[in-house]
């Protein structure tokens, strides 16, 4: 059911012919109301794809009736022609649905620098609009896949309302700058300002802490649409908590499907002065190629952890730090502790605990290891 | 001749038994004067190895008579016992040479978290001191190698004076946190303040712009020692220029020997507002795994270049940027230009030119590609 699990939403996923393989490549998700409130967050990359430039304008009034997503091409660095394709896509949806183009978000994912065919997109949108159903969420989830091996979906039950979601990609880990696209829907009745606050909090502690390979896409977009069809106005805290659950679930699915990865690594930092410090420390490890290659080799190389966190500005004394891997403390107060051969790194799930002993704040960043398959898939894609 | 090319220096490189293989593993370089002036720069990693902690104190007065370097162990995160080993190493050199321990620098390289044997170090230093010769520089260059496939050396001729140098490692690219260690010698007669200024300028535009894998070592040290034995006091500008040449030459040798690399990539940024901006932009590309994997695959994926530079804070418009690879402009004003199949990326030497059209400053950062061999060597080392 995914994005069509909450009342008020219809969706379709079709093969529009953008991908040469004939696979599903275009999704349309429509909010039938009675409310058409929405919020969205976008990539912070200054190199923004055309659909991002378009969608940033659409979301300004907090009103969104539909979203079109295509795989098979990122429509980034494609100039004014590329922007026209995005515009034409939104106009097609507006025409088919009897709504304003300015209430249609557009997302694209695929290779940068390739021009999309506007006619193919337009015909695809019209075709998708004719196939909208209240159980089309599963097809929509498949249609946004690029190198994903499986669709990512989530449903969270609230008290009289629901949140549904679909996602694709894993940060910038997938080849060709494949993108993280997420669409969340809810039949809760909340205004766009509340949706925006909840979405920013949820993405801050979920997708923003998934750092598979440190690369930031030009096309990332996370969208939340609310129909109000449940007639229930939830407490914002309860809604935010459910949205956090939904986003965290999708983030774990993205991590688990990260291309070429053989380990899902949770880097937990405790004892930081602030939560931002904890994130900075965890992220420095998540982005360290030497550490990530060591985990691939099942090597509990804690020296690489300490060398990574030594590059941060977070306040702590490197010579007070403890490091544990999968429950075995291999470094205590900046010195060797239990023998590294006691650490079993053969499971895919890997837990690295870094205790800074500087304060009370903590955070966890999710990442993957650096593997032969990562290099292979990211060197062979476009050539 | 290397570090013994300038007058006033003797060196030795021996097998002290630190490495189990019996390879050369300890170098001693002595400045016989008449001057014993020196300068040094150290890793900016807050997780500093014991020899760094020691050497930072030694260099404070600008007086250095000798430097001991060992491979086979980084002596980092080894606690007070590790610091005592460093101290004992310096005392051994002082005793053998009749100088003060406070005038002896120590450098170590190898795996983090392993304790060095102080007795082995002490005996090694005494043995090396007995074998000092005026042509021992070549052995010293070999004795500091870890996973280097060849020694790195340089000699630059000044006007009546010389600079000699040795180096090992490549940033943090080599496995086990292998370190960049550099020793430069000169028989020019310059005070330590002038040496310090020249060294900081030279490292700023050479080693600091070699970013093989974005990882920062706990043990990096670049040392410059001046004997004054030529009797010539050069102009500081001329000396600095020669030192830049020496450091740039060694940096290129480090890049060319980077582990597992199949491409030596020069990322040149032109048209930046400031030189710092140009470095930031170039470094963002040098640290982008997707770009580095693409180059390994001989794929001129300019979209990954633009996605990388979009994450910087340097002032420029991504949609005015030109990107050329090996002389072929594949992106003009943020749009596709010449076909990517016109780019030949089969040569090891790779040139990426990024024209920002925002100002007049430029800079080049050197890096390597991300290869299967990099992953293999960095995942298999310590296990």
């Amino acid at each position: 059911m995914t994005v069509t699990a909450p009342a008020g939403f219809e969706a379709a996923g079709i093969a529009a012919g953008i991908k040469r393989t004939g696979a599903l490549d275009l999704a349309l998700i429509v909010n039938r109301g009675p409310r058409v409130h929405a919020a969205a967050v976008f990539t912070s990359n200054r190199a923004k794809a055309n659909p991002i430039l378009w969608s940033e304008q659409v979301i300004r009034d907090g009103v969104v009736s539909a979203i079109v997503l295509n795989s098979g091409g990122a429509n980034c660095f494609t100039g004014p022609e590329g922007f026209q394709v995005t515009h034409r896509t939104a106009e097609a949806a507006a025409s088919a649905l009897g709504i304003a183009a300015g209430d249609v978000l557009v997302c694209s994912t695929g290779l940068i620098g390739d021009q999309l065919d506007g006619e193919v997109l337009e015909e695809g949108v019209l075709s998708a609009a004719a196939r909208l159903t209240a159980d089309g969420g599963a097809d929509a989830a498949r249609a946004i896949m690029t190198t994903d091996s499986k669709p990512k979906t989530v449903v969270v039950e609230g008290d009289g309302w629901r949140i549904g979601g679909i996602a694709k990609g894993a940060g910038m880990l997938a080849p060709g700058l494949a993108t993280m696209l997420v669409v969340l829907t809810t039949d809760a009745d909340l205004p766009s300002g509340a949706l925006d606050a909840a979405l920013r909090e949820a993405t801050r502690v979920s997708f923003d802490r998934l750092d598979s390979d440190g690369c930031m896409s030009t096309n990332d977009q996370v969208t939340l649409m609310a129909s109000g069809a449940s007639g229930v106005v939830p407490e914002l805290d309860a809604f935010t908590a459910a949205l956090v659950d939904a986003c965290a679930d999708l983030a774990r699915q993205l991590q688990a499907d990260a291309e070429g990865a053989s380990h899902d690594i949770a880097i937990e930092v405790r004892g930081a002065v602030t939560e931002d410090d904890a994130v900075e420390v965890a992220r420095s490890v998540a982005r360290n190629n030497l550490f990530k290659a060591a985990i691939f080799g099942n090597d509990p190389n804690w020296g690489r952890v300490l060398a990574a966190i030594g590059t941060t500005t977070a306040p702590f004394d490197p010579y007070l730090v403890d490091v544990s891997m999968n429950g075995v403390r291999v470094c205590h107060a900046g010195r060797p502790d239990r023998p590294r051969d006691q650490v079993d790194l053969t499971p895919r799930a890997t837990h690295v605990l870094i205790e800074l002993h500087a304060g009370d704040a903590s955070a966890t960043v999710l990442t993957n290891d650096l593997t032969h398959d990562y290099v292979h898939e990211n060197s062979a894609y476009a050539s």
Side-chain angles (χ1 to χ4, degrees), chain A:
Chain A
M1 293 287 282
T2 75
V3 286
T4 45
F9 291 92
E10 294 182 349
I14 66 158
I18 308 165
K19 288 179 180 168
R20 287 176 211 157
T21 59
L24 299 187
D25 53 18
L26 189 138
L28 174 64
I29 303 165
V30 177
N31 183 354
R32 297 294 189 187
R35 313 283 186 229
V36 285
H37 296 155
V41 295
F42 302 94
T43 180
S44 56
N45 199 311
R46 294 159 58 201
K48 295 179 199 298
N50 283 307
I52 297 289
L53 298 173
W54 171 264
S55 295
E56 283 181 336
Q57 298 308 313
V58 168
I59 201 64
R60 279 173 177 261
D61 63 2
V63 173
V64 171
S65 297
I67 181 167
V68 180
L69 308 95
N70 76 272
S71 52
N75 196 1
C76 183
F77 293 115
T78 45
E81 304 95 306
F83 190 81
Q84 285 168 12
V85 170
T86 294
H87 186 194
R88 186 172 173 181
T89 302
E91 290 284 1
S95 164
L97 299 169
I99 58 176
D103 294 341
V104 179
L105 294 171
V106 180
C107 295
S108 299
T109 178
L111 192 67
I112 283 181
D114 275 0
Q115 204 63 256
L116 291 173
D117 185 324
E119 189 167 335
V120 168
L121 263 291
E122 180 174 324
E123 289 176 2
V125 170
L126 297 179
S127 174
R131 298 196 218 173
L132 287 166
T133 67
D135 58 3
D139 282 347
R142 300 198 75 86
I144 61 174
M145 290 166 57
T146 51
T147 54
D148 306 64
S149 73
K150 61 184 80 164
K152 287 91 180 173
T153 67
V154 71
V155 175
V156 174
E157 297 285 343
D159 187 10
W161 47 270
R162 277 181 178 159
I163 294 172
I166 61 174
K168 64 84 47 182
M172 286 268 296
L173 187 132
L177 301 188
T179 296
M180 188 186 73
L181 295 183
V182 179
V183 180
L184 297 150
T185 55
T186 183
D187 48 13
D189 186 2
L190 286 168
S192 60
L195 297 175
D196 187 71
L199 185 61
R200 288 181 190 282
E201 173 59 16
T203 55
R204 185 180 75 83
V205 299
S206 58
F207 302 117
D208 287 352
R209 294 186 186 171
L210 171 65
D211 198 331
S212 199
D213 68 353
C215 296
M216 185 193 293
S217 164
T218 52
N219 288 58
D220 287 342
Q221 181 171 340
V222 182
T223 302
L224 171 60
M225 299 192 289
S227 69
S230 69
V232 179
V233 180
E235 291 291 325
L236 186 54
D237 284 354
F239 180 78
T240 301
L243 196 64
V244 167
D245 287 347
C247 290
D249 191 323
L250 289 173
R252 283 191 296 270
Q253 293 180 55
L254 292 168
Q255 179 191 32
D257 199 26
E259 289 220 339
S262 68
H263 289 79
D264 295 336
I265 311 169
I267 301 169
E268 179 182 1
V269 174
R270 291 188 200 153
V273 175
T274 68
E275 189 178 347
D276 283 351
D277 291 335
V279 171
E280 182 193 2
V281 169
R283 200 180 294 280
S284 75
V285 178
R287 292 190 172 177
N288 188 281
N289 279 352
L290 290 170
F291 164 77
K292 289 155 75 86
I295 297 298
F296 169 56
N298 296 335
D299 170 19
N301 196 319
W302 58 268
R304 295 181 182 180
V305 173
L306 283 163
I309 71 178
T311 64
T312 67
T313 59
F316 65 88
D317 181 345
Y319 292 92
L320 293 180
V321 169
D322 299 339
V323 179
S324 302
M325 295 197 185
N326 285 352
V328 178
R329 197 175 69 180
V330 285
C331 170
H332 175 52
R335 297 172 59 188
D337 193 13
R338 288 173 60 190
R340 59 172 75 199
D341 59 13
Q342 291 184 6
V343 180
D344 180 10
L345 286 176
T346 53
R348 183 175 174 102
T350 307
H351 181 234
V352 177
L353 172 63
I354 302 164
E355 294 173 284
L356 299 179
H357 300 292
D360 296 322
S362 62
T364 297
V365 168
L366 306 179
T367 189
N368 295 99
D369 51 351
L370 179 59
T371 70
H372 288 301
D373 285 348
Y374 176 90
V375 174
H376 175 70
E377 297 183 31
N378 286 297
S379 61
Y381 183 72
S383 49

